[in-house]
Amino acid sequence: MSRFFATRAGVWSGFGAAALVLFGAAPLLLSGFRLGLLAQFLCYAIVAVGIGLAWGRGGMLTLGQGVFFGMGAYLMAMHMKMADAEFRNGHGAVPDFMELAGIRELPAYWVPFASPVFTIAMILVLPTGFAVLLGFAVFKRRVKGAYFAILSQALAGAFAILLIGQQSMGGFNGLSRFRYFFGYNLDDAVNQQMLYFIAAGVLLVVVAVALQLRRSRYGELLVAVRDAEERVRFLGYDAANIKVVAYAAAALFAAVAGAIFVPVVGIISPASIGIVPSIMFILGVAIGGRASLVGPVVGALAVAWAQTALSEQFPSAWTYAQGLLFIVVIALLPGGIASVAALTKRFQAKSATVEAAA
Amino acid sequence: MTTALTCTNIHVDFDGFKAVNGVDLTLDRGEVHFLIGPNGAGKTTLVDAVTGLAKYSGSVVKDGVELRGKKVHHIARRGIGRTFQTATVFEQLTVAQNLDIAAGAGRSPWSLLRRRTVLPDNVVAVLEQIGLAGQAQTPAGILAHGQKQWLEIGMLLVGDADVLLLDEPIAGMGHEERDTTGRLLHEIAETRAVAVVEHDMDFMRAFASRVTVLHAGAVLASGSVDEVSNDPRVQEVYLGASHEQEAIDAATA
């Protein structure tokens, strides 16, 4: 089965099936509320694809993807708040939360975010550029393993704390109560469905990009760096450059996910981007199978769905279930859900040889 | 026969411990040059210094270019390849993928982002040369120990290294594999300089074109196998010690 999906026909049918489910079955079967939840989960899945690339293939345990997710989200939220204020009180108006906080003058760095084009460009460039700079600083110094993980996690914590202190960025409460997404009214169910379709489409694109990166010569090189970085260096490659590409791609995916998350969910606050959400991203990827292409997507969706379902039934049970799930996967299934197929195959082969011997 | 690499007055200092203490070494193309010496003589440290892993004073010149202070990957691109005591190959990747990566240090980003459609010619040729043509699609992790070492040498060949520094390339090999490796080394050395760090004296006697003996971080003797084995100082610190050990072994047996 896995061999079929390695062929060209297999890849196309895989994408076809996914598109059928995301664009056909889901909108037909799910209520507007459930579809909105799924759109939110798809945003997590987009982040997960990037983590799968950086961590699963590149060996970089990116414990701080909340930073890039948050950057994308806040950039989008700034534009939406500006657009709402402009719609209400005309050009150059101060967003509502600033008025409440007593800020009368629009801060200079908010002004260009009135432009949708500028905002989208920033979402694509700013987090990725930050990841490139950070990546060069860290990987050129050969910081790796646990040190890299701690560093990236600390960054997520620091970023959340920084935002809490910024009244002009909404502080602890973050940015919320959006009315329009590039001119589309967010109260309209049709527009909510459009957001879901955007999230689903972006997920498919991101998976396709990740697939190409994995199958290319670069993808082989990335695995080589993960398994024997020093050896790669002695072959004449600058290993830091190779890692930066995967790290930046993961940052870009997270930023785009954050930007879609904001209109879908309607709020972004430091609580959604700090250490705990960053670990949640990792958890989904670990459970799904970090080294596989589809594993992180499945894991992210499963964890988010389980969290919602369990919290609806037993509000306090999720934390325990989450811990248990993590222990079970790490102890019994280190390759994640994606490795179940390979394990059953090996088990069948083993029992077959036992039978043959007997 | 041309000189490929010249090391002059190499000193490596690990917090006051002089691991390499004023070594001069010249590697010529066309020779399989053995570096021998007791444990701690500084053989591997010398290789580490030349390849940019250990800091040193002195000078390493390849084809007129000073290498001291250059980064590891820049030195590698200058055509200096090395292997490690424990064979280091990319275990999750196939033999062909291993060689393809090793052949591609100069590839453009654009070609890196595309899939490999055919194996480069030099990879196919080297697969044949190192005797792994039949295992091209085998994951390198499940190769036999000796095959991994051949693969590692092959990775240097496709990367166009013309100075090869091999750290114990026959460790753990059987007799036949050793002979095959020895012949491979001479084949490779026809157009390249090959240096071999080795403990195995029989292998050294059979395949060395030239021998340099290191002891306590300095060159004790250098020359042909016969010259070196007849050097009384070498017998004293190195061969003598092993003869003594043999005598003790014989007595206790």
Side-chain angles (χ1 to χ4, degrees):
Chain A
M1 195 179 83
S2 58
R3 197 164 298 165
F4 170 68
F5 283 116
T7 64
R8 186 177 286 260
V11 168
W12 282 110
S13 55
F15 273 102
L20 219 57
V21 170
L22 288 173
F23 290 97
L28 277 178
L29 299 175
L30 297 176
S31 68
F33 171 70
R34 292 284 161 195
L35 202 63
L37 272 181
L38 183 56
Q40 183 187 342
F41 299 167
L42 292 179
C43 292
Y44 298 146
I46 296 167
V47 180
V49 174
I51 295 176
L53 192 66
W55 182 32
R57 306 299 279 188
M60 295 164 270
L61 179 48
T62 51
L63 270 178
Q65 286 308 84
V67 171
F68 306 113
F69 182 80
M71 282 175 131
Y74 267 91
L75 291 171
M76 177 62 87
M78 284 166 78
H79 168 69
M80 289 169 72
K81 291 282 10 161
M82 288 285 285
D84 285 357
E86 190 171 325
F87 185 77
R88 225 163 6 102
N89 295 332
H91 187 73
V94 176
D96 49 5
F97 76 94
M98 285 192 196
E99 283 175 7
L100 288 175
I103 301 171
R104 303 255 169 269
E105 196 78 16
L106 196 63
Y109 65 92
W110 273 75
V111 175
F113 285 93
S115 153
V117 176
F118 178 82
T119 305
I120 291 175
M122 282 298 109
I123 289 167
L124 296 177
V125 169
L126 212 60
T128 314
F130 180 63
V132 168
L133 288 181
L134 186 70
F136 274 123
V138 169
F139 301 133
K140 289 275 185 196
R141 282 163 207 275
R142 306 192 191 170
V143 176
K144 51 187 170 187
Y147 300 100
F148 172 75
I150 291 165
L151 185 99
S152 52
Q153 185 171 54
L155 208 62
F159 187 51
I161 291 166
L162 179 78
L163 281 169
I164 289 173
Q166 303 300 312
Q167 280 311 311
S168 57
M169 291 296 279
F172 183 80
N173 297 320
L175 303 175
S176 61
R177 295 198 294 147
F178 307 106
R179 288 197 193 84
Y180 292 97
F181 173 69
F182 297 124
Y184 292 96
N185 191 331
L186 289 171
D187 292 331
D188 193 336
V190 175
N191 292 337
Q192 283 293 337
Q193 199 174 42
M194 175 191 73
L195 283 173
Y196 163 80
F197 284 132
I198 291 175
V202 167
L203 176 63
L204 289 184
V205 169
V206 159
V207 169
V209 170
L211 176 67
Q212 179 59 27
L213 283 179
R214 287 165 64 104
R215 296 197 302 187
S216 66
R217 277 177 153 143
Y218 169 79
E220 295 174 356
L221 198 51
L222 186 63
V223 170
V225 170
R226 177 192 69 188
D227 293 343
E229 187 171 334
E230 203 78 307
R231 174 78 269 177
V232 174
R233 226 173 248 127
F234 281 110
L235 291 175
Y237 291 97
D238 189 341
N241 295 352
I242 298 158
K243 291 167 95 169
V244 162
V245 172
Y247 186 54
L252 174 64
F253 294 174
V256 170
I260 301 170
F261 179 89
V262 166
V264 166
V265 177
I267 179 170
I268 186 70
S269 72
S272 311
I273 66 170
I275 289 177
V276 175
S278 297
I279 290 175
M280 284 289 294
F281 291 143
I282 289 286
L283 184 70
V285 175
I287 287 173
R290 64 178 192 262
S292 84
L293 177 68
V294 186
V297 174
V298 173
L301 293 178
V303 167
W305 173 80
Q307 178 175 20
T308 308
L310 268 175
S311 322
E312 280 171 10
Q313 304 295 326
F314 319 98
S316 58
W318 167 243
T319 323
Y320 296 104
Q322 183 186 351
L324 192 68
L325 202 59
F326 203 40
I327 292 170
V328 167
V329 167
I330 296 296
L332 301 179
L333 210 60
I337 299 171
S339 66
V340 170
L343 278 181
T344 35
K345 205 179 290 170
R346 202 182 308 158
F347 181 74
Q348 279 165 353
K350 199 181 264 178
S351 44
T353 50
V354 169
E355 274 167 32
Chain B
M1 194 161 71
T2 57
T3 297
L5 192 79
T6 314
C7 308
T8 319
N9 201 20
I10 305 287
H11 287 263
V12 179
D13 196 323
F14 291 136
D15 290 331
F17 171 69
K18 305 242 179 259
V20 176
N21 199 0
V23 168
D24 294 331
L25 182 72
T26 306
L27 299 180
D28 292 335
R29 293 191 177 88
E31 282 190 342
V32 178
H33 191 140
F34 274 65
L35 298 176
I36 62 168
N39 282 329
K43 309 180 292 288
T44 300
T45 310
L46 183 62
V47 171
D48 286 348
V50 171
T51 52
L53 200 58
K55 279 212 161 84
Y56 61 95
S57 66
S59 152
V60 176
V61 175
K62 177 175 186 279
D63 299 324
V65 179
E66 171 66 53
L67 298 184
R68 188 160 75 93
K70 286 195 193 302
K71 289 191 176 120
V72 165
H73 64 275
H74 288 144
I75 293 172
R77 291 233 188 156
R78 290 255 163 216
I80 296 192
R82 73 170 293 180
T83 63
F84 297 86
Q85 277 175 16
T86 47
T88 318
V89 294
F90 309 123
E91 311 231 323
Q92 306 261 321
L93 301 174
T94 66
V95 170
Q97 285 173 328
N98 267 274
L99 289 170
D100 184 60
I101 285 175
R107 281 190 191 122
S108 69
W110 182 240
S111 78
L112 276 178
L113 288 176
R114 283 183 301 176
R115 288 177 83 170
R116 172 167 36 76
T117 44
V118 289
L119 281 177
D121 292 340
N122 59 342
V123 169
V124 177
V126 166
L127 270 173
E128 203 65 50
Q129 193 177 9
I130 59 174
L132 293 178
Q135 278 105 323
Q137 300 309 322
T138 308
I142 63 171
L143 289 179
H145 190 67
Q147 292 175 320
K148 280 187 193 169
Q149 275 148 312
W150 292 337
L151 174 58
E152 222 186 349
I153 293 171
M155 286 162 76
L156 304 185
L157 296 179
V158 293
D160 285 335
D162 72 342
V163 174
L164 284 81
L165 310 169
L166 311 178
D167 205 346
E168 303 197 17
I170 59 154
M173 282 188 184
H175 274 294
E176 262 177 49
E177 287 178 317
R178 287 171 187 224
D179 287 346
T180 311
T181 308
R183 283 193 299 272
L184 177 66
L185 293 186
H186 275 275
E187 204 179 302
I188 291 167
E190 278 171 18
T191 54
R192 305 177 183 85
V194 176
V196 181
V197 173
E198 196 46 75
H199 279 294
D200 191 299
M201 291 301 113
D202 293 334
F203 185 66
M204 184 269 285
R205 280 188 201 101
F207 292 106
S209 331
R210 180 187 295 274
V211 182
T212 294
V213 184
L214 292 178
H215 176 55
V219 175
L220 195 65
S222 187
S224 69
V225 176
D226 288 337
E227 284 165 8
V228 167
S229 351
N230 292 330
D231 190 312
R233 288 171 307 165
V234 174
Q235 287 174 356
E236 190 186 332
V237 306
Y238 192 77
L239 300 172
S242 73
H243 285 162
E244 250 167 55
Q245 190 59 43
E246 275 166 26
I248 294 165
D249 288 346
T252 51

